[in-house]
Amino acid sequence: MTLIDGKKTAAEIKQEIAAEVARMTADGKRAPHLAAILVGHDGGSETYVANKVKACGECGFTSSLIRFEEDVTEERLIEEITRLNDDQSVDGFIVQLPLPRHIDEQNIIRAIDPSKDVDGFHPINVGRMSIGLPGFVSATPAGIMQLLKRYGVETKGKHAVVLGRSNIVGKPMATLLMQKSNPGNCTVTVCHSATPNIKEICLNADIIVAALGQPGFVTADMVKPGATIIDVGTTRVEDASRKSGWRLRGDVDFENVAEKCEFITPVPGGVGPMTICSLMINTLQACKDNPYK
Ligand code: GUN
C-alpha cells in the first residue's frame, strides 16, 4: 500500500509556484493577486479562507480578503463582484461557499468574469472543461488529478467510481476522469443518494473517489484488493481527546480499508491540501497564462 501524501505534494507544488513568481517579479512583472469574498462567520469557511490567504503568502502572491456580514444583500455582493471583475490589479477571485440562504449562489457565480473565476464554478468554465477546452477547473478534482499524475496511478481503461454528484466535486471529477487524457481515459460510474447497489458497484471499481460527506461510508467489504481510494470527505466529528473537541474524518473507513489498497489518501493530509494548491495553480495561470486572454 502506498499512502498518497497530499500535504507533501502540495508543499512541493507551492515551492514550484513560488520559484515561478520569483522569476516573474525579477523580470519586473507584478505578483499574482487573489481576492476572496467571505460572507458571515461560519467556522469551516473562516478556516478555509484563512488557509487560502496563508497559501498565497507561501506562493509569493498578493491576497485580499473582503468580508461581509451574514445579512449582506445579493445586490451588494454582485456590486463587489463587478468591482473585482473590473479591477486590473486582481487576477482572480473566489466567493467562499456556502452563502446565506437568502442569496442565490448561481446568481453570484454567474456574475463572476469567467477569466477571473479561479474556482472554475462559472457555467462557461464548467462547459469548457466538459468539452476539453482550456479554462479554470474546480480545485478539488484538479488537485486529485495532480495526485494521480504525480503518484503514477494507472487510470487508462480503469473503472472509476465517483461517490457523490456535487457541482464542486462529483460532477467535474467524473468529467475529468473520462476525458481522453492522462490521467483520465477511465470508464466512470457516478453513484449518489438514489443509487441502490453502491456496494456492488464499488466492489467492481479500480479507483474510488469518495465525496459524499458521510464519515466512514466506504468500508473494507466494498473495496476490491489493489484498488486506489481517494477520500474527499472532511467531516468534523466529536473527539474528546482533542483540545478543540473535534477532528476531521473522511468518507473512508481508513483503518480497515488501507491494507486492501494499492494507493490511498489519508484525512487529513490527502486531498485537502491539494485543493488549496490547485487554487494557487489557477491563480498563477490567471495572471501569467490566462486562457481567455
Ligand atoms: N466551499 C467549499 N469548497 C469550496 C471551494 O473550493 N471554493 C469556494 N469558493 N467555496 C467552497
Side-chain angles (χ1 to χ4, degrees):
M1 184 271 285
T2 300
L3 194 67
I4 296 182
D5 189 338
K7 196 172 167 187
K8 179 169 145 259
T9 309
E12 285 165 10
I13 294 175
K14 281 186 281 188
Q15 270 183 10
E16 292 163 19
I17 295 172
E20 180 60 36
V21 172
R23 278 193 293 274
M24 286 166 68
T25 50
D27 277 353
K29 301 195 182 89
R30 66 165 175 76
H33 181 180
L34 174 71
I37 297 179
L38 175 60
V39 178
H41 300 275
D42 171 76
S45 293
E46 292 265 4
T47 306
Y48 287 135
V49 170
N51 286 335
K52 289 171 187 179
V53 169
K54 179 167 166 256
C56 282
E58 290 164 359
C59 292
F61 293 1
T62 307
S63 64
S64 307
L65 173 56
I66 301 153
R67 305 192 70 124
F68 290 97
E69 289 303 322
E70 193 83 21
D71 61 357
V72 66
T73 62
E74 195 170 302
E75 292 68 35
R76 177 68 190 91
L77 270 188
I78 290 178
E79 189 186 309
E80 189 61 24
I81 288 169
T82 306
R83 189 188 69 74
L84 290 170
N85 285 341
D86 294 340
D87 184 341
Q88 297 305 305
S89 77
V90 171
D91 298 295
F93 64 97
I94 63 154
V95 180
Q96 187 64 28
L97 304 178
L99 291 168
R101 288 240 299 270
H102 67 277
I103 294 170
D104 183 332
E105 240 162 55
Q106 287 306 321
N107 283 347
I108 296 299
I109 290 169
R110 260 187 290 121
I112 301 172
D113 182 332
S115 74
K116 295 193 176 189
D117 169 39
V118 284
D119 258 334
F121 292 169
H122 191 287
I124 290 197
N125 278 314
V126 176
R128 290 177 79 115
M129 175 192 60
S130 179
I131 57 175
L133 288 177
F136 297 111
V137 176
S138 182
T140 300
I144 293 169
M145 296 300 274
Q146 282 279 344
L147 287 177
L148 295 172
K149 186 172 166 184
R150 288 186 180 231
Y151 276 82
V153 177
E154 181 64 66
T155 57
K156 186 178 178 181
K158 302 295 183 188
H159 181 207
V161 171
V162 178
L163 303 178
R165 56 176 156 183
S166 70
N167 290 340
I168 292 182
V169 184
K171 282 181 201 157
M173 190 75 252
T175 302
L176 292 172
L177 286 168
M178 79 168 85
Q179 209 83 264
K180 199 167 187 176
S181 59
N182 184 27
N185 253 319
C186 292
T187 305
V188 180
T189 304
V190 180
C191 298
H192 46 73
S193 52
T195 306
N197 55 334
I198 292 187
K199 182 177 170 184
E200 287 72 26
I201 293 170
C202 284
L203 267 172
N204 214 317
D206 302 302
I207 299 165
I208 297 175
V209 179
L212 292 161
Q214 290 190 39
F217 180 90
V218 177
T219 49
D221 60 341
M222 295 167 71
V223 173
K224 181 163 87 171
T228 290
I229 309 288
I230 307 293
D231 191 349
V232 186
T234 50
T235 309
R236 285 184 180 191
V237 295
E238 266 184 43
D239 185 343
S241 72
R242 303 279 175 104
K243 213 168 74 183
S244 62
W246 59 268
R247 70 184 162 91
L248 286 182
R249 179 140 195 251
D251 286 353
V252 177
D253 175 17
F254 184 90
E255 270 94 80
N256 297 304
V257 168
E259 60 198 23
K260 292 186 84 173
C261 300
E262 178 157 13
F263 295 97
I264 187 165
T265 62
V267 174
V271 173
M274 289 302 294
T275 296
I276 292 186
C277 190
S278 299
L279 180 65
M280 299 299 116
I281 294 174
N282 285 354
T283 304
L284 176 64
Q285 193 192 1
C287 174
K288 187 175 161 259
D289 194 16
N290 195 303
Y292 290 87
K293 286 172 183 158

